[in-house]
């Protein structure tokens, strides 16, 4: 058993080619084989969001603070708040983030296949983000 102690892993800022705005990422556990899950706490400042992307094995998001938006391609934007849990099926193109006025933090639980947990696509434009 391994206990990853609080404070043992520095916070990082998400890479701008895959995120818009200020996104802080605190990596938690990356499972050891045969486990295949990674977990991380992600905080989006107002206006911040992921790029469009997919997950080869799907993804669970558990909103732990604030109020944000999630959207699957071809569907209306949805509001999510602390305590909500979201399932994103494998291969579904989507994005997640803060609203334009409120921050949002979620725990991301993502299984990987052959080491790949996500496939990044284009950034979410301001027009797409605000139109929902
Ligand atoms: Mn995702």
């Amino acid at each position: 058993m391994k206990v990853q102690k609080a404070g043992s892993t520095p916070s990082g800022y998400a890479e701008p080619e895959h995120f818009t705005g200020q996104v802080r990422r605190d990596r938690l556990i990356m499972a050891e084989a045969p486990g295949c899950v990674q977990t991380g706490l992600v905080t989006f400042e107002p206006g911040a969001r992921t790029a469009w992307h997919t997950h080869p094995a799907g993804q669970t998001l558990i909103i732990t603070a604030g109020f944000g938006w999630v959207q699957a391609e071809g569907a209306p934007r949805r509001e999510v708040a602390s305590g909500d849990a979201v399932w994103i099926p494998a291969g579904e193109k989507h994005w997640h983030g803060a609203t334009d006025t409120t921050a949002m933090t979620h725990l991301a639980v993502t299984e990987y296949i052959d080491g790949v947990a996500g496939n990044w696509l284009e950034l979410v434009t301001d027009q797409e983000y605000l139109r929902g």
Side-chain angles (χ1 to χ4, degrees):
M1 184 186 295
K2 182 166 75 179
V3 176
Q4 182 172 309
K5 297 298 289 181
S8 65
T9 306
S11 299
Y13 286 100
E15 63 281 8
E17 59 268 38
H18 299 145
F19 293 83
T20 299
Q22 184 133 298
V23 180
R24 192 177 70 245
R25 186 158 52 193
D26 290 284
R27 295 184 186 280
L28 295 169
I29 293 294
M30 179 89 161
E32 297 171 4
C36 58
V37 70
Q38 64 184 33
T39 56
L41 202 55
V42 189
T43 296
F44 300 84
E45 295 298 331
R49 67 272 188 180
T50 68
W52 289 101
H53 62 285
T54 61
H55 301 285
Q59 182 179 52
T60 298
L61 302 177
I62 299 163
I63 316 305
T64 58
F67 186 75
W69 288 333
V70 298
Q71 186 174 23
E73 186 180 43
R77 193 182 66 199
R78 308 275 296 270
E79 296 177 342
V80 291
S82 180
D84 290 345
V86 180
W87 166 245
I88 296 145
E92 183 171 84
K93 183 175 174 180
H94 70 287
W95 62 267
H96 27 110
T99 74
D100 58 340
T101 57
T102 59
M104 186 272 279
T105 301
H106 66 50
L107 176 66
V109 180
T110 317
E111 289 178 294
Y112 45 88
I113 296 176
D114 295 331
V116 178
N119 292 299
W120 291 108
L121 302 165
E122 67 278 10
L123 292 175
V124 176
T125 65
D126 288 345
Q127 187 182 14
E128 289 175 313
Y129 175 69
L130 293 171
R131 182 184 59 215

